[in-house]
């Protein structure tokens, strides 16, 4: 199957330094995608007949990139989703979003006090920016971009979730997306609410969220909250690739950077894993390469270990990193929280 969906990380830099962000455990320097790489990428996307959807986001803040508006112009023929913290949307940028973007996913992780604690900025800034965007949509008689609100759930902000749904309603959000936190620091490794086994507390919470969103007329997308048998990588199932700001091609968010994560309290070092670089190869050659094709095949058919429910996980050295696993495969996806739907992305 050909490439159908592309995640583009225009920058891995950000204007914020949120408490739960992956960037807190990075050791590498931050930077924007080079303009020549962006132009090469767009030209090669146009050669991929099956590509329909572009997500501009990644780990950095896309609107912080110097070439953000240029990227929208170049990709105008595709369905574009932008994921953003919403803090940098001014009137000029809002008009660009209305002209070129189909969906905008805005991160709001709590009511004002919690939001300030997590993101270090006043929530009213984000609210006012989205209200201004909606006002301009009305002026231009446009339904786009459709607004979505994403909420990263943890023990720290669980009591805010219904008030944030109220905020989402006020911002005319079409959908409320909940994702679980993946801890990056030891200090918040015990703040997760998902569990391996029966989780009646969160099950009841999620049932209330579904009913509350129905009453508000907002669609809701919820993650799993307890370990299930089914494994499904949406990056692979949706025939997606992740283009790092460096121009390197990674299979997913998880392998796009070096960082530390805690999986049910276990410290794990994630190493960046890529199948090639646009500075050296074409996107088509990278996607069609035998190694990348074999990787997609084994993930699709679940031909890799399931570490999260393995009886030997607490004494296993393989789960400390992703270099290899007990099947002799590299990189290792056996501990991936995305594949168990604890974490979800647009």
């Amino acid at each position: 199957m050909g490439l159908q969906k592309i995640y583009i990380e225009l920058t891995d830099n950000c204007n914020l330094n949120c408490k739960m962000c992956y960037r807190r455990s990075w050791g590498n320097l931050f930077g924007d995608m080079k303009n020549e790489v962006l132009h090469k990428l767009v030209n090669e996307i146009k050669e991929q007949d099956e590509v329909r959807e572009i997500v501009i986001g990644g780990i950095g803040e896309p609107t912080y990139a110097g070439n953000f508006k240029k990227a929208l112009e170049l990709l105008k023929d595709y369905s574009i989703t932008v994921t953003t913290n919403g803090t940098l949307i001014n009137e000029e940028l809002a008009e660009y979003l209305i002209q070129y973007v189909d969906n905008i996913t805005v991160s709001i992780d709590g009511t004002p006090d919690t939001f300030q604690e997590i993101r270090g900025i006043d929530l009213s800034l984000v609210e006012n920016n989205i209200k201004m965007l909606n006002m301009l949509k009305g002026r231009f008689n446009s339904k786009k971009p459709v607004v979505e609100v994403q909420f990263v759930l943890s023990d720290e902000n669980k009591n805010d979730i219904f008030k944030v749904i109220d905020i989402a309603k006020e911002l005319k959000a079409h959908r409320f997306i909940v994702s679980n936190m993946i801890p990056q620091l030891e200090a918040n490794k015990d703040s997760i609410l998902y569990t391996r086994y029966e989780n009646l507390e969160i099950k009841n919470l999620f049932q209330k969220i579904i009913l509350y969103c129905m009453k508000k007329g907002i669609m809701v997308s919820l993650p799993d909250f307890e370990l299930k048998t089914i494994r499904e990588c949406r990056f692979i199932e949706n025939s997606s690739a992740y283009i790092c700001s460096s121009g390197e091609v990674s299979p997913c968010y998880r392998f796009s950077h070096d960082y530390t994560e805690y999986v049910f309290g276990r410290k794990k070092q994630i190493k960046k894993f890529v199948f090639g670089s646009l500075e050296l190869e074409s996107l088509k050659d990278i996607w069609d390469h035998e190694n990348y094709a074999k990787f997609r095949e084994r993930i699709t058919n679940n031909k890799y270990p399931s570490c999260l429910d393995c009886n030997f996980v607490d004494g296993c050295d393989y789960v400390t990193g992703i270099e290899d696993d007990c099947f002799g495969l590299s990189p290792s996806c056996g501990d991936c929280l995305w594949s168990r739907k604890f974490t979800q992305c647009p």
Side-chain angles (χ1 to χ4, degrees):
M1 184 177 294
L3 185 57
Q4 298 181 7
K5 184 175 182 179
I6 300 178
Y7 292 81
I8 301 177
E9 180 187 77
L10 290 176
T11 183
D12 54 17
N13 212 335
C14 188
N15 61 314
L16 303 182
N17 189 25
C18 304
K19 285 180 64 175
M20 73 295 189
C21 183
Y22 293 87
R23 299 168 69 258
R24 280 184 166 267
S25 65
W26 289 2
N28 53 306
L29 299 174
F30 308 122
D32 292 358
M33 180 178 288
K34 296 176 183 177
N35 285 326
E36 54 266 33
V37 173
L38 174 60
H39 282 273
K40 182 175 186 289
L41 171 61
V42 172
N43 289 334
E44 294 186 1
I45 288 174
K46 292 177 180 178
E47 296 175 0
Q48 303 288 315
D49 294 337
E50 295 183 52
V51 175
R52 297 290 181 270
E53 185 176 358
I54 305 291
V55 179
I56 300 180
I59 308 301
E61 169 53 40
T63 62
Y64 197 53
N67 52 11
F68 176 69
K69 288 184 284 188
K70 175 56 69 175
L72 296 185
E73 293 172 0
L74 293 171
L75 293 163
K76 63 182 180 180
D77 295 327
Y78 298 91
S79 174
I80 299 177
T81 295
V82 171
T83 63
T84 177
N85 59 39
T87 60
L88 299 176
I89 300 175
N90 55 29
E91 188 166 334
E92 179 187 5
L93 186 57
E95 291 185 10
Y96 261 83
L97 295 172
I98 292 167
Q99 184 175 358
Y100 296 110
V101 175
D102 295 274
N103 300 282
I104 181 170
T105 304
V106 184
S107 298
I108 301 179
D109 301 313
T111 49
D113 288 344
T114 306
F115 189 88
Q116 178 75 41
E117 174 66 20
I118 292 174
R119 295 193 176 266
I121 200 165
D122 194 334
L123 175 58
S124 65
L125 173 61
V126 178
E127 292 178 290
N128 290 337
N129 287 348
I130 301 305
K131 289 176 182 177
M132 179 265 294
L133 173 65
N134 285 329
M135 180 193 69
L136 289 175
K137 285 168 60 178
R139 182 187 301 173
F140 291 113
N141 194 27
S142 175
K143 295 182 180 180
K144 296 180 180 180
V146 174
V147 176
E148 300 179 332
V149 169
Q150 181 159 30
F151 184 96
V152 179
L153 179 66
S154 70
D155 188 58
E156 183 176 355
N157 65 359
K158 64 181 180 182
N159 294 325
D160 288 358
I161 195 163
F162 294 100
K163 292 180 180 178
V164 176
I165 295 172
D166 291 338
I167 293 172
K169 176 64 175 180
E170 186 179 353
L171 297 180
K172 300 179 180 179
H174 173 70
R175 185 166 65 131
F176 187 70
I177 305 169
V178 180
S179 186
N180 284 302
M181 179 184 71
I182 298 180
Q184 312 300 311
L185 303 172
E186 187 172 10
N188 57 23
K189 68 181 177 65
D190 296 322
S191 296
I192 62 173
L193 297 177
Y194 48 95
T195 60
R196 285 190 180 88
Y197 306 114
E198 190 175 41
N199 192 340
L200 293 178
E201 178 187 358
I202 304 305
K203 181 178 182 179
N204 291 333
L205 174 63
F206 279 13
Q207 288 175 338
K208 292 176 182 177
I209 291 171
I210 292 170
L211 291 174
Y212 199 76
C213 285
M214 288 177 64
K215 290 178 182 178
K216 293 290 180 178
I218 302 175
M219 292 181 63
V220 62
S221 178
L222 296 173
D224 280 343
F225 51 87
E226 57 190 23
L227 192 64
K228 296 182 179 179
T229 304
I230 296 174
R231 294 188 293 174
E232 180 183 28
C233 175
R234 292 187 179 180
F235 293 98
I236 301 299
E237 294 292 334
N238 293 333
S239 296
S240 307
Y242 184 104
I243 315 300
C244 305
S245 59
S246 61
E248 294 170 302
V249 180
S250 179
C252 60
Y253 273 111
R254 190 178 187 232
F255 291 151
S256 64
H257 291 276
D258 296 346
Y259 67 93
T260 302
E261 68 179 20
Y262 287 83
V263 182
F264 290 111
R266 290 184 286 103
K267 185 177 181 180
K268 189 179 189 75
Q269 189 62 46
I270 306 299
K271 292 292 185 181
K272 183 175 186 176
F273 190 92
V274 301
F275 284 99
S277 172
L278 294 176
E279 292 192 305
L280 302 173
E281 305 167 80
S282 72
L283 180 59
K284 185 180 189 308
D285 285 346
I286 294 171
W287 178 260
D288 290 340
H289 194 280
E290 182 182 9
N291 290 341
Y292 202 170
K294 285 182 176 179
F295 174 81
R296 296 194 299 270
E297 188 273 336
R298 76 167 182 256
I299 301 303
T300 300
N301 293 293
N302 286 316
K303 296 178 180 179
Y304 62 100
S306 178
C307 302
L308 293 176
D309 48 5
C310 176
N311 291 333
F312 305 106
V313 67
D314 291 329
C316 180
D317 290 335
Y318 287 118
V319 295
T320 61
I322 60 98
E323 287 83 358
D324 49 23
D325 58 33
C326 58
F327 284 15
L329 302 173
S330 180
S332 174
C333 296
D335 233 4
C336 181
L337 295 170
W338 271 276
S339 71
R340 300 320 259 273
K341 299 183 181 179
F342 290 125
T343 302
Q344 56 177 357
C345 301

